[in-house]
Amino acid sequence: MLTLLDQLDKGTLWRSPGGIHPPEVKFLSNATPIGQLPLASTYLVPVPQVGENCTLAVKVGDSVLKGTPLTQGTSIWHLPVHAPTSGTIVAIEPRASNHASALPVNTCVIAADGKDTWCELVQNQLDDLSHQQIVDKVRSAGIAGMGGAAFPTHIKLNPVSEIDLVIINGVECEPYISADDRLMREYSQDILAGIGIIHRLLTPKRIVIAIEDNKPEAAKAMQAAVSQCGLPAGSIRVTVIPTKYPSGGEKQLIQIITGREVPSGAIPAKLGIVVHNVGTAYAINQAVTQGKPLVERVVTVTGRNVGKPGNYWLPIGTPVDHVLTATEFTPEPDQKVIIGGPMMGHALANIQVPILKGTNCILVPSSQEIGSTPEEKACIRCGECATACPALLLPQQLFWHAKAEEYDKAASYNLKDCIECGCCSYVCPSDIPLVEYYRIAKSALKQAADEKQQAERAKQRFDARLARLEEEKLAREAKAKEASERRQASMTGTDKNAVAEAMARIAAKKAAAQAVTGESITEESSVTTTDTTEVPKGKAAVAAAIARAKAKKAAQANADGTDTNGAETDNAVTMDANDSISATDTIAQEAPLSQKDKVAAAIARAKAKKAAQQTDTAPLESTETADNTPALSADDDKKAKVAAAVARAKAKKAAQQAETAASDIEVSNTEISVSDVNDAEAIKKAKVAAAVARAKAKKAAQQAETNAENGLNQTTTPAVDSAANVHADVNADAETAVNAAATDIEVSNADVSVNDAEAIKKAKVAAAVARAKAKKTAAASAESKTDAEIESVDEIQTEANVASPSIAATLDTATTEADAVLPSVGSTAEPIETAPLSSDELKKARIAATIAKAKAKKAALAQEANASSDSSVTND
């Protein structure tokens, strides 16, 4: 069995699938030698042309020579771009690209000086260079594949795997292009020199120069050059292959020469094969031996509308319009200018675009050559496209998915293996531009891949940033820890104690701030609820006994209405009070009480004693005068003044009772809800509520006093009736004040422990007791006699001295006012003089009463101001 090498030596060829035979028009350009065109005034050099990640090496205003590098970069895929002629950089700006889309790309605009002066070139002997130096020279020269793909040549010259076969592609299968044909005819020796450099770098077993049989002159020239080259005999040969389009494709040519098929997604190097174009071999020789970078190439300018068709050496960056002008271009209406051949080329939207490294042809066909673009019709599913496809794809499926923008499905049918040869479009009877659909789909897939790659890079940068921040954080923490350990190691005992004390103070301040601002309401509520339920049984029993006694006493007072029953009411109230006191004492004996419990019990006993003393006072008979009495007697005048003074004292007494009730309720509920609870916020609210209640009670007392004084000034009615009216007003005002105070206290105490239903119930009971006591006091004082009332005032003052110095001072003021108004009234046992007063004496008495009223009002206002000040301080 013959090996592959043996078959190559015998010239065995294989048939490639698909392909077409379009009419050839090479004769328009291949009959004349390669020529030169005049220099253009301006050159447009896009940067970069091949690869990415490059930086400009020049700036606007710089003078450059022919061959001066314009870019530099470190990426393996980057190829530098060089100045095509000498001149000045006049602009670096976006210009239209040599692409079907004409999208702008960054471009160096060079104004040529017309001298075309080369930069300094370094010539080398091939034997003096190492393999890596040769590869570096090829790369620095910016050499890319000259067959149209423009793949970086230095990558192919430095493969990772062993290469057995090198194919030099001289097929040039496009029907109009003849650039490689003329290059092989005229520069065969230079091409063979470049092939020798490739052989030195890759050391393949065989080198095959493939040329189509429609180029017999080129084949003869290359065969002559091979016989004269210094390569080992039998290692290189020229092979002529049949003419068929697209035999010049890399994978198709490999299949024709070797019979092997390159797998989908793979490169020929995996099969041990490398393919280079004849133009690339010529450029390699120029770069390595002459030191010339790739700044010009052979371009075929052809078509019926070109006056001078042929092949020309064109500098990279030469504007297309300059080339057409120099070749006597005569445009037609709707003239097309095509870059590349008629099969794989693309029409330009703007001819102010440059020649690139991969540009091998400028085609300007006439209307008879190419005709007008036919209208696209519906696919008839004839299958001609699949027959003509040289890559054995399914063009119809690719078309449907590309047209529906289902690019992922199109990719699943190996869209990337399409070489865009145009055979399918050429044979399609429906004139469907299939290749255009494939190009759009490829562009969309490439854009999606680029976006995905950018996103992946961004994610990697983000992850790297997070890792860096975390490392910096750990480093700072470690550094701080080391510094702390060093400080602790150097600390003395005194320093450590100072630090501990400072930390304790900070913790205390933080806890106090949280308690004041209420930052932990849920925790406080839970603490209040829990601690309230854990109140000792002895305290709860004391509070319950006091509440029962008050309720019983209030119920009996409401049932009796007035003190008309005399002894029965007194006895009942006395018994209730005694029962309350005895019950309190009994509970106190049964359970050990704390200091707060003892205070609550003492308050309950004092209140019971006060109620008993009030019921012991005998009611006085009402004094009435004739309705038709024209003037008041001295006795009546004195009685009226006494009644007014007593009314004022009773009003203050009612206020004192309201204040006492408020204090009792406050103490009781505070003990029930917040005793043994270190809740500063709840205690503060309870104190504020109590202060507000006291202020309201004092205000009601002042209002009642004013009403009593107004009743005294009404002289059109009898004195006794006036006093009775004043009594009624005072009692009503006092009752209103007590009710309001009790309600406020009830609401305030409910706020202290909202979650404690038992505490709320007890607060309501205490408020009801306070209202009942106020009603009872008002009823009893309305029917009592003057002496008994004055005595009661004295007793209240005596108790107030024990309970509150401020209350005692208030009652002292009221007693003093009464003594000033009634100097002759010493006690209830003294008889009242009945001698009538003169007009002067009566006038003086009224003046004295007015002065007393003013003093009493002033004292009440002062007390109110003090109470408001106390409330404000408590709130703060």
Side-chain angles (χ1 to χ4, degrees):
M1 179 179 292
L2 296 177
T3 64
L4 175 62
L5 297 179
D6 295 336
Q7 292 176 346
L8 291 175
D9 294 338
K10 289 183 61 176
T12 305
L13 298 177
W14 283 262
R15 184 183 298 273
S16 65
I20 57 176
H21 294 273
E24 295 184 4
V25 199
K26 294 180 181 288
F27 62 88
L28 290 176
S29 57
N30 66 358
T32 58
I34 301 174
Q36 294 277 352
L37 292 179
L39 289 175
S41 60
T42 303
Y43 288 84
L44 308 174
V45 183
V47 290
Q49 288 188 31
V50 179
E52 299 176 353
N53 303 324
C54 72
T55 58
L56 283 169
V58 294
K59 61 182 181 297
V60 176
D62 288 353
S63 296
V64 294
L65 298 175
K66 186 176 181 179
T68 302
L70 302 180
T71 63
Q72 57 187 5
T74 58
S75 172
I76 190 175
W77 294 98
H78 168 70
L79 286 180
V81 180
H82 301 78
T85 187
S86 59
T88 304
I89 306 293
V90 295
I92 300 175
E93 60 188 11
R95 293 290 184 96
S97 63
N98 186 346
H99 190 267
S101 65
L103 291 174
V105 295
N106 203 28
T107 304
C108 285
V109 181
I110 302 176
D113 57 8
K115 299 179 181 179
D116 201 29
T117 305
W118 273 96
C119 64
E120 183 180 357
L121 301 178
V122 179
Q123 298 182 0
N124 297 285
Q125 293 294 327
L126 184 60
D127 296 336
D128 298 337
L129 299 175
S130 65
H131 286 196
Q132 188 59 45
Q133 288 176 335
I134 294 174
V135 173
D136 291 341
K137 278 187 168 294
V138 171
R139 179 185 178 186
S140 62
I143 299 175
M146 308 290 281
F151 188 84
T153 302
H154 67 277
I155 295 178
K156 284 187 174 183
L157 294 178
N158 191 23
V160 296
S161 58
E162 184 178 355
I163 301 301
D164 296 328
L165 175 64
V166 172
I167 299 176
I168 304 301
N169 188 351
V171 176
E172 198 173 39
C173 56
E174 277 276 0
Y176 274 83
I177 303 176
S178 60
D180 291 344
D181 183 9
R182 293 305 310 183
L183 186 67
M184 288 186 288
R185 293 186 194 183
E186 299 179 27
Y187 297 94
S188 59
Q189 295 295 335
D190 293 325
I191 293 173
L192 260 295
I195 294 174
I197 296 173
I198 295 173
H199 183 274
R200 176 177 175 180
L201 293 175
L202 301 179
T203 62
K205 297 178 180 179
R206 294 289 187 275
I207 296 177
V208 176
I209 302 174
I211 303 174
E212 277 188 326
D213 56 10
N214 62 354
K215 305 177 184 63
E217 294 85 358
K220 291 179 181 180
M222 293 301 296
Q223 186 64 50
V226 166
S227 62
Q228 297 176 4
C229 72
L231 294 176
S235 63
I236 184 171
R237 61 170 291 134
V238 177
T239 301
V240 179
I241 66 174
T243 300
K244 185 173 72 170
Y245 179 85
S247 299
E250 184 179 57
K251 293 183 178 180
Q252 286 70 36
L253 184 58
I254 291 174
Q255 192 168 6
I256 293 172
I257 298 297
T258 65
R260 296 182 181 181
E261 183 177 353
V262 180
S264 175
I267 60 176
K270 290 187 176 180
L271 298 179
I273 302 173
V274 168
V275 179
H276 286 285
N277 184 266
V278 290
T280 305
Y282 175 83
I284 291 173
N285 178 63
Q286 293 289 307
V288 175
T289 60
Q290 304 296 325
K292 292 182 179 180
L294 180 60
V295 295
E296 59 183 0
R297 66 157 298 151
V298 179
V299 178
T300 301
V301 182
T302 185
R304 297 290 184 181
N305 289 339
V306 175
K308 296 180 179 180
N311 294 280
Y312 299 93
W313 286 104
L314 296 182
I316 306 299
T318 305
V320 172
D321 63 337
H322 170 74
V323 176
L324 295 178
T325 301
T327 55
E328 301 178 1
F329 165 58
T330 56
E332 293 181 356
D334 300 329
Q335 178 68 60
K336 288 186 177 181
V337 177
I338 300 173
I339 296 296
M343 300 301 298
M344 299 184 64
H346 60 270
L348 293 178
N350 185 356
I351 61 174
Q352 296 289 338
V353 296
I355 299 296
L356 303 179
K357 294 180 179 180
T359 304
N360 55 6
C361 179
I362 299 177
L363 174 61
V364 188
S366 64
S367 58
Q368 290 81 15
E369 289 180 278
I370 194 169
S372 60
T373 303
E375 182 181 358
E376 178 181 346
K377 295 178 284 293
C379 176
I380 62 174
R381 301 179 183 272
C382 62
E384 291 294 331
C385 55
T387 303
C389 180
L392 298 177
L393 301 177
L394 298 176
Q396 184 180 353
Q397 293 298 115
L398 296 176
F399 163 67
W400 289 119
H401 292 309
K403 187 175 182 179
E405 298 183 358
E406 298 173 347
Y407 301 130
D408 292 339
K409 292 183 179 179
S412 66
Y413 282 89
N414 299 325
L415 175 64
K416 61 180 179 297
D417 289 337
C418 175
I419 62 174
E420 302 178 19
C421 63
C423 291
C424 54
S425 299
Y426 184 82
V427 300
C428 180
S430 297
D431 297 321
I432 301 174
L434 297 172
V435 176
E436 300 300 326
Y437 285 102
Y438 304 157
R439 286 173 177 170
I440 293 173
K442 283 185 175 182
S443 299
L445 290 172
K446 184 177 183 300
Q447 182 178 1
D450 291 342
E451 292 177 354
K452 183 178 180 180
Q453 187 176 11
Q454 291 177 2
E456 184 64 24
R457 291 176 181 174
K459 182 178 182 299
Q460 293 176 359
R461 292 195 303 269
F462 180 73
D463 293 341
R465 178 178 179 273
L466 291 182
R468 186 180 67 255
L469 293 177
E470 185 65 21
E471 291 177 359
E472 292 176 355
K473 179 182 177 182
L474 294 177
R476 288 195 301 269
E477 291 178 353
K479 186 177 180 181
K481 185 177 180 181
E482 293 177 359
S484 177
E485 292 176 352
R486 288 196 299 269
R487 287 194 298 270
Q488 291 180 358
S490 62
M491 273 186 181
T492 61
T494 304
D495 294 335
K496 293 181 180 180
N497 294 336
V499 171
E501 292 174 359
M503 295 297 292
R505 287 195 299 273
I506 292 173
K509 288 182 179 180
K510 183 176 180 181
Q514 290 179 352
V516 172
T517 57
E519 291 179 354
S520 186
I521 297 175
T522 304
E523 295 179 1
E524 291 174 3
S525 300
S526 62
V527 170
T528 303
T529 304
T530 304
D531 293 342
T532 302
T533 56
E534 294 177 358
V535 173
K537 296 182 179 180
K539 297 180 181 180
V542 170
I546 293 173
R548 286 196 299 274
K550 290 180 180 180
K552 186 176 180 181
K553 181 174 67 175
Q556 290 181 355
N558 293 333
D560 294 338
T562 61
D563 292 336
T564 54
N565 293 330
E568 293 179 2
T569 302
D570 297 338
N571 293 334
V573 175
T574 303
M575 290 175 65
D576 294 339
N578 293 332
D579 293 340
S580 177
I581 294 171
S582 61
T584 303
D585 294 338
T586 301
I587 295 171
Q589 292 175 3
E590 291 176 357
L593 303 179
S594 64
Q595 185 66 24
K596 293 183 180 181
D597 298 334
K598 294 178 182 178
V599 171
I603 291 174
R605 287 195 295 272
K607 289 166 61 179
K609 184 177 180 181
K610 179 174 66 176
Q613 289 176 353
Q614 290 176 357
T615 56
D616 291 339
T617 304
L620 299 176
E621 296 180 356
S622 303
T623 304
E624 299 178 356
T625 58
D627 297 336
N628 297 327
T629 303
L632 293 176
S633 63
D635 189 17
D636 293 336
D637 193 16
K638 289 182 178 180
K639 289 182 177 180
K641 294 177 180 178
V642 170
V646 171
R648 287 193 296 272
K650 289 171 66 180
K652 292 185 177 180
K653 176 183 175 183
Q656 167 62 20
Q657 290 178 349
E659 184 176 1
T660 304
S663 300
D664 295 341
I665 296 170
E666 176 187 356
V667 172
S668 177
N669 284 282
T670 303
E671 291 174 350
I672 292 172
S673 61
V674 295
S675 62
D676 299 335
V677 179
N678 295 326
D679 194 345
E681 187 67 19
I683 296 173
K684 181 179 179 181
K685 290 182 179 180
K687 291 181 180 180
V688 170
V692 172
R694 287 195 295 272
K696 290 184 177 181
K698 290 180 181 179
K699 183 176 181 181
Q702 180 183 356
Q703 184 65 31
E705 181 181 358
T706 303
N707 294 336
E709 292 171 356
N710 293 335
L712 179 62
N713 293 332
Q714 296 174 357
T715 56
T716 59
T717 58
V720 177
D721 295 337
S722 177
N725 292 333
V726 171
H727 283 228
D729 293 338
V730 171
N731 292 333
D733 293 335
E735 182 177 358
T736 302
V738 172
N739 291 336
T743 303
D744 293 336
I745 295 168
E746 179 180 356
V747 175
S748 299
N749 283 281
D751 293 337
V752 173
S753 183
V754 178
N755 296 327
D756 194 346
E758 188 66 19
I760 295 173
K761 183 177 179 181
K762 292 179 180 181
K764 292 181 179 180
V765 172
V769 171
R771 287 194 293 271
K773 287 170 62 180
K775 290 182 180 180
K776 177 178 176 297
T777 302
S781 61
E783 296 179 5
S784 64
K785 293 183 180 181
T786 304
D787 294 334
E789 288 170 343
I790 295 173
E791 182 179 359
S792 179
V793 171
D794 294 336
E795 292 172 356
I796 292 171
Q797 182 173 359
T798 302
E799 294 180 2
N801 290 331
V802 179
S804 175
S806 62
I807 298 173
T810 303
L811 296 179
D812 288 339
T813 303
T815 305
T816 304
E817 292 175 358
D819 292 339
V821 175
L822 303 174
S824 62
V825 180
S827 64
T828 58
E830 294 182 3
I832 302 174
E833 296 180 1
T834 59
L837 298 175
S838 63
S839 59
D840 293 337
E841 292 175 345
L842 184 58
K843 184 176 181 180
K844 291 179 180 179
R846 289 177 178 172
I847 292 172
T850 302
I851 294 172
K853 287 188 290 183
K855 291 182 177 179
K857 187 179 293 186
K858 182 177 180 181
L861 290 173
Q863 290 179 355
E864 183 179 1
N866 293 334
S868 299
S869 177
D870 295 339
S871 176
S872 175
V873 172
T874 305
N875 289 327
D876 293 338

